[in-house]
Coordinates of all heavy atoms in Angstrom, one line a residue:
A2 N -1.8 1.7 7.8 CA -2.6 2.4 8.8 C -1.7 3.3 9.6 O -2.1 4.5 10.0 CB -3.2 1.3 9.7
A3 N -0.5 2.9 10.0 CA 0.4 3.7 10.7 C 0.8 5.0 10.0 O 0.9 6.1 10.5 CB 1.6 2.9 11.1
A4 N 1.0 4.8 8.7 CA 1.4 5.9 7.8 C 0.3 7.0 7.7 O 0.5 8.2 7.8 CB 1.8 5.5 6.4
L5 N -0.9 6.5 7.6 CA -2.1 7.4 7.6 C -2.2 8.2 8.9 O -2.5 9.4 8.9 CB -3.4 6.7 7.3 CG -3.5 6.1 5.9 CD1 -4.7 5.2 5.8 CD2 -3.6 7.3 4.9
A6 N -1.9 7.5 10.0 CA -1.9 8.2 11.3 C -0.9 9.3 11.3 O -1.1 10.4 11.9 CB -1.7 7.2 12.4
G7 N 0.3 9.0 10.7 CA 1.3 10.0 10.6 C 0.9 11.2 9.8 O 1.2 12.4 10.2
I8 N 0.2 11.0 8.7 CA -0.3 12.1 7.9 C -1.4 12.9 8.7 O -1.4 14.2 8.7 CB -0.9 11.6 6.6 CG1 0.2 11.1 5.7 CG2 -1.8 12.7 5.9 CD1 -0.2 10.4 4.4
A9 N -2.2 12.2 9.5 CA -3.2 12.9 10.3 C -2.6 13.8 11.3 O -3.1 14.9 11.7 CB -4.2 11.9 10.9
L10 N -1.5 13.3 11.9 CA -0.8 14.1 13.0 C 0.1 15.2 12.4 O 0.5 16.1 13.2 CB 0.0 13.1 13.8 CG -0.8 12.1 14.7 CD1 0.1 11.0 15.3 CD2 -1.5 12.8 15.8
G11 N 0.6 15.1 11.2 CA 1.6 16.0 10.6 C 1.0 17.4 10.4 O -0.2 17.6 10.2
T12 N 2.0 18.3 10.4 CA 1.6 19.7 10.2 C 2.6 20.4 9.2 O 2.4 21.6 8.9 CB 1.7 20.5 11.5 OG1 3.0 20.4 12.1 CG2 0.6 20.0 12.4
D13 N 3.6 19.7 8.7 CA 4.5 20.4 7.7 C 5.0 19.4 6.7 O 4.7 18.2 6.7 CB 5.7 21.0 8.5 CG 6.5 19.9 9.3 OD1 6.6 18.8 8.9 OD2 7.0 20.3 10.4
F14 N 5.7 20.0 5.7 CA 6.2 19.2 4.5 C 7.0 18.0 4.9 O 6.8 16.9 4.4 CB 6.9 20.1 3.6 CG 7.4 19.4 2.3 CD1 6.6 19.4 1.2 CD2 8.7 18.8 2.3 CE1 7.1 18.8 0.0 CE2 9.1 18.2 1.1 CZ 8.3 18.2 0.0
A15 N 7.9 18.2 5.8 CA 8.9 17.1 6.2 C 8.1 15.9 6.7 O 8.4 14.7 6.4 CB 9.9 17.6 7.1
V16 N 7.2 16.1 7.7 CA 6.5 15.0 8.3 C 5.6 14.3 7.3 O 5.5 13.1 7.2 CB 5.6 15.5 9.5 CG1 4.7 14.4 10.0 CG2 6.5 16.1 10.6
W17 N 4.9 15.1 6.4 CA 4.1 14.5 5.4 C 4.9 13.7 4.4 O 4.4 12.7 3.9 CB 3.2 15.6 4.7 CG 2.1 16.1 5.6 CD1 1.3 15.3 6.5 CD2 1.5 17.4 5.7 NE1 0.4 16.1 7.1 CE2 0.5 17.3 6.6 CE3 1.8 18.6 5.1 CZ2 -0.3 18.4 7.0 CZ3 1.1 19.7 5.4 CH2 0.1 19.6 6.3
A18 N 6.1 14.2 4.1 CA 6.9 13.5 3.1 C 7.3 12.1 3.7 O 7.2 11.1 3.0 CB 8.1 14.3 2.8
M19 N 7.7 12.1 5.0 CA 8.1 10.8 5.6 C 6.9 9.8 5.7 O 7.0 8.6 5.4 CB 8.7 11.0 7.0 CG 10.1 11.7 6.9 SD 10.8 11.8 8.6 CE 9.8 13.0 9.3
A20 N 5.7 10.4 6.0 CA 4.5 9.6 6.1 C 4.1 9.0 4.7 O 3.7 7.9 4.6 CB 3.4 10.3 6.7
S21 N 4.3 9.9 3.7 CA 4.0 9.4 2.3 C 4.9 8.3 1.9 O 4.5 7.4 1.2 CB 4.1 10.6 1.4 OG 3.2 11.6 1.6
V22 N 6.2 8.4 2.2 CA 7.1 7.3 1.9 C 6.7 6.0 2.6 O 6.6 4.9 2.0 CB 8.6 7.7 2.4 CG1 9.5 6.4 2.3 CG2 9.1 8.8 1.5
A23 N 6.3 6.1 3.9 CA 5.8 4.9 4.6 C 4.5 4.4 4.0 O 4.3 3.2 3.9 CB 5.6 5.3 6.1
L24 N 3.6 5.3 3.6 CA 2.4 4.8 2.9 C 2.7 4.1 1.6 O 2.1 3.0 1.3 CB 1.5 6.0 2.7 CG 0.1 5.7 2.1 CD1 -0.7 4.8 3.1 CD2 -0.7 7.0 1.8
G25 N 3.7 4.6 0.9 CA 4.1 3.9 -0.4 C 4.7 2.5 -0.1 O 4.4 1.6 -0.8
L26 N 5.5 2.4 0.9 CA 6.1 1.1 1.3 C 5.0 0.1 1.7 O 5.0 -1.1 1.3 CB 7.1 1.3 2.4 CG 8.4 2.0 2.0 CD1 9.2 2.3 3.3 CD2 9.2 1.1 1.1
G27 N 4.1 0.5 2.5 CA 3.0 -0.3 3.0 C 2.2 -0.8 1.8 O 1.8 -2.0 1.7
T28 N 1.9 0.1 0.9 CA 1.1 -0.3 -0.3 C 1.8 -1.2 -1.2 O 1.2 -2.1 -1.8 CB 0.7 1.0 -1.1 OG1 0.1 1.9 -0.2 CG2 -0.3 0.7 -2.2
A29 N 3.1 -1.0 -1.3 CA 3.9 -1.9 -2.2 C 3.9 -3.4 -1.6 O 4.0 -4.3 -2.4 CB 5.4 -1.4 -2.3
L30 N 3.9 -3.5 -0.3 CA 3.8 -4.9 0.2 C 2.5 -5.6 -0.1 O 2.4 -6.8 -0.3 CB 3.9 -4.8 1.8 CG 5.3 -4.5 2.3 CD1 5.2 -4.2 3.8 CD2 6.3 -5.6 2.0
V31 N 1.4 -4.8 -0.3 CA 0.1 -5.3 -0.5 C -0.3 -5.5 -2.0 O -0.9 -6.5 -2.4 CB -0.9 -4.4 0.2 CG1 -2.4 -4.7 -0.1 CG2 -0.7 -4.4 1.7
Y32 N 0.0 -4.5 -2.8 CA -0.7 -4.3 -4.1 C -0.4 -5.4 -5.1 O -1.4 -6.1 -5.5 CB -0.3 -3.0 -4.7 CG -1.5 -2.3 -5.4 CD1 -2.5 -1.7 -4.7 CD2 -1.5 -2.3 -6.8 CE1 -3.6 -1.1 -5.4 CE2 -2.6 -1.7 -7.5 CZ -3.6 -1.1 -6.7 OH -4.6 -0.5 -7.4
P33 N 0.8 -5.7 -5.4 CA 1.0 -6.8 -6.4 C 0.7 -8.2 -5.7 O 0.4 -9.2 -6.4 CB 2.5 -6.7 -6.8 CG 3.1 -6.0 -5.6 CD 2.1 -5.1 -5.0
T34 N 0.9 -8.3 -4.4 CA 0.7 -9.5 -3.7 C -0.7 -10.0 -3.7 O -1.0 -11.2 -3.8 CB 1.2 -9.4 -2.2 OG1 2.5 -8.7 -2.2 CG2 1.4 -10.7 -1.6
L35 N -1.6 -9.0 -3.6 CA -3.1 -9.4 -3.6 C -3.5 -10.0 -5.0 O -4.2 -11.0 -5.1 CB -3.9 -8.2 -3.3 CG -4.0 -7.8 -1.8 CD1 -4.7 -6.4 -1.6 CD2 -4.8 -8.8 -1.0
I36 N -3.0 -9.3 -6.0 CA -3.3 -9.9 -7.4 C -2.7 -11.2 -7.6 O -3.3 -12.1 -8.2 CB -2.9 -8.9 -8.5 CG1 -3.4 -7.5 -8.2 CG2 -3.5 -9.4 -9.8 CD1 -3.0 -6.5 -9.3
A37 N -1.5 -11.4 -7.0 CA -0.8 -12.7 -7.1 C -1.6 -13.8 -6.4 O -1.7 -14.9 -6.9 CB 0.6 -12.6 -6.6
V38 N -2.2 -13.4 -5.3 CA -3.0 -14.4 -4.5 C -4.2 -14.9 -5.4 O -4.5 -16.1 -5.5 CB -3.6 -13.8 -3.3 CG1 -4.8 -14.6 -2.7 CG2 -2.5 -13.6 -2.2
V39 N -4.8 -13.9 -6.1 CA -5.9 -14.2 -7.0 C -5.5 -15.1 -8.1 O -6.1 -16.1 -8.5 CB -6.6 -13.0 -7.5 CG1 -7.8 -13.3 -8.4 CG2 -7.2 -12.2 -6.3
A40 N -4.3 -14.8 -8.7 CA -3.8 -15.6 -9.8 C -3.5 -17.0 -9.3 O -3.7 -18.0 -10.1 CB -2.6 -14.9 -10.4
D41 N -2.9 -17.1 -8.1 CA -2.6 -18.4 -7.6 C -3.8 -19.3 -7.4 O -3.8 -20.5 -7.7 CB -2.0 -18.3 -6.2 CG -0.6 -17.7 -6.2 OD1 0.1 -17.6 -7.3 OD2 -0.1 -17.2 -5.1
A42 N -4.9 -18.7 -7.0 CA -6.1 -19.4 -6.5 C -7.1 -19.6 -7.6 O -8.3 -20.0 -7.4 CB -6.7 -18.7 -5.3
S43 N -6.8 -19.3 -8.9 CA -7.7 -19.4 -10.0 C -7.1 -20.2 -11.1 O -5.9 -20.2 -11.3 CB -8.1 -18.1 -10.5 OG -7.0 -17.3 -10.8
H44 N -7.9 -21.0 -11.8 CA -7.5 -21.8 -13.0 C -7.2 -20.9 -14.2 O -7.9 -19.9 -14.3 CB -8.6 -22.8 -13.3 CG -8.2 -23.9 -14.3 ND1 -8.3 -23.7 -15.6 CD2 -7.6 -25.1 -14.1 CE1 -7.8 -24.7 -16.2 NE2 -7.4 -25.6 -15.3
P45 N -6.3 -21.2 -15.0 CA -6.0 -20.4 -16.2 C -7.2 -20.1 -17.1 O -7.4 -19.0 -17.6 CB -5.0 -21.2 -17.0 CG -4.3 -22.0 -16.0 CD -5.3 -22.3 -14.9
S46 N -8.2 -21.0 -17.1 CA -9.3 -20.9 -18.0 C -10.3 -19.8 -17.5 O -11.1 -19.3 -18.3 CB -10.1 -22.2 -18.1 OG -10.6 -22.6 -16.9
W47 N -10.3 -19.5 -16.2 CA -11.1 -18.4 -15.7 C -10.4 -17.4 -14.8 O -10.9 -16.6 -14.1 CB -12.3 -19.0 -14.9 CG -12.0 -20.0 -13.9 CD1 -11.9 -21.4 -14.0 CD2 -11.7 -19.8 -12.5 NE1 -11.6 -22.0 -12.8 CE2 -11.5 -21.1 -11.9 CE3 -11.6 -18.7 -11.7 CZ2 -11.1 -21.2 -10.5 CZ3 -11.3 -18.8 -10.3 CH2 -11.1 -20.1 -9.8

């Protein structure tokens, strides 16, 4: 959310590049972790 705010406020390549790095970091914390939650909470048969 903070990274998207940075992109909305940005006006040049440097600011957008830094915000894009932050967006990637935030997504990395979430993306594999969410699927792992689902794998944890489900039986192998389903």
Side-chain angles (χ1 to χ4, degrees):
L5 289 170
I8 289 172
L10 292 170
T12 57
D13 58 34
F14 181 90
V16 173
W17 283 326
M19 289 187 290
S21 296
V22 169
L24 186 61
L26 288 172
T28 307
L30 289 169
V31 170
Y32 217 74
T34 314
L35 283 170
I36 309 179
V38 164
V39 177
D41 291 343
S43 53
H44 189 275
S46 63
W47 49 270

